[in-house]
């Protein structure tokens, strides 16, 4: 069956509960009267609640209504947030500089509203020291606790130890903030036309990575 509502002469009932073009309640009127009013306003009579008794019909520009509904659906799909799990790989004896670099990536992922899978890779004799990986994961969780939380506690998985961090901020919120920041940078660039082209190009780039797993290995 078609999902399209019945309109105008497709409506086959003796009377309808009519709603005016501005949402005002007209009341129960004969179908012929409702069709007459639709012609008078140069609008369509659209059945909006077919199961009501009598059915509820509204006076509207149905073509415009369909177009606006399609645009809203398209915008909703455009802004739909996809769950993304990034991955960051570390060694249990990672040096301070590499740790800070990896932590910076985790911070960026969490700010974007993405989950992060942290993998500690043990090699050789390191496998006999799982506490090293556990302490490293605890340290990282504490360092980013303002942006994320431990969604999955550390657990051994073969030669690896894995922990999952979840963002405090929802993906949709992160996307909205990114768009706002982009608009602010564009406005600043217009207000300061003397800025270099490279800076302007950098400002116009927003990280919109596709839902895919990103990995980095120490």
């Amino acid at each position: 069956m078609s999902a399209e509502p019945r309109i105008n002469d497709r409506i086959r009932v003796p009377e309808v509960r009519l709603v005016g073009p501005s949402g005002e309640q007209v009341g129960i009127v004969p179908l012929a009267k409702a069709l007459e009013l639709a012609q008078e306003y140069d609008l369509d009579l659209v059945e909006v609640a077919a199961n009501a008794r009598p059915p509820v019909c509204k006076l509207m520009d149905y073509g415009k209504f369909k177009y606006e509904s399609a645009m809203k659906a398209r915008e909703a799909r455009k802004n739909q947030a996809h769950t993304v799990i990034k991955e960051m790989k570390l060694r249990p004896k990672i040096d301070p500089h590499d740790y800070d670099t990896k932590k910076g990536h985790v911070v960026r992922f969490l700010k974007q509203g993405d989950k992060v899978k942290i993998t500690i890779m043990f090699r050789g004799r390191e496998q006999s020291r799982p506490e090293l990986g556990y302490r490293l994961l605890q340290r990282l969780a504490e360092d980013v606790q303002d942006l994320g939380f431990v969604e999955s506690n550390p657990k051994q998985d073969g030669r690896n130890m894995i922990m999952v961090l979840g963002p405090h901020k929802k993906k949709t919120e992160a996307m909205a903030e990114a768009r706002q920041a982009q608009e602010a940078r564009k406005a600043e660039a217009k207000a300061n036309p003397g800025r270099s082209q490279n800076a302007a190009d950098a400002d116009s780039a927003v990280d919109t990575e596709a839902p895919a797993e990103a990995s980095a290995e120490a």
Side-chain angles (χ1 to χ4, degrees), residues 180-192 195 200 203-204:
Q180 291 174 359
Q182 181 185 20
E183 292 301 320
R185 289 193 294 268
K186 286 182 178 179
E188 182 181 352
K190 289 182 179 179
N192 299 277
R195 299 176 64 196
D203 283 344
S204 64

Side-chain angles (χ1 to χ4, degrees), residues 155-169:
K155 63 180 180 181
Q156 198 75 28
D157 182 16
R159 295 184 177 184
N160 300 328
M161 183 175 288
I162 296 171
M163 176 181 73
V164 177
L165 296 174
H168 291 313
K169 187 181 300 181

Side-chain angles (χ1 to χ4, degrees), residues 33-46:
K33 177 63 175 178
L35 290 170
E36 181 182 326
L37 288 172
Q39 289 184 338
E40 182 179 327
Y41 283 104
D42 193 24
L43 296 171
D44 298 299
L45 182 67
V46 182

Side-chain angles (χ1 to χ4, degrees), residues 106-162:
V106 173
V107 166
R108 177 165 58 88
F109 294 149
L110 292 173
K111 283 183 176 180
Q112 292 172 353
D114 296 324
K115 295 182 181 182
V116 188
K117 176 184 175 183
I118 312 296
T119 302
I120 305 296
M121 302 179 299
F122 297 94
R123 294 177 182 173
R125 295 181 179 179
E126 292 175 347
Q127 297 179 58
S128 64
R129 301 289 305 280
E131 69 277 6
L132 295 177
Y134 184 78
R135 286 201 294 266
L136 181 58
L137 291 175
Q138 281 188 314
R139 174 188 173 189
L140 181 59
E142 291 173 0
D143 286 348
V144 300
Q145 61 183 340
D146 291 341
L147 298 171
F149 62 95
V150 177
E151 184 174 286
S152 178
N153 289 317
K155 63 180 180 181
Q156 198 75 28
D157 182 16
R159 295 184 177 184
N160 300 328
M161 183 175 288
I162 296 171

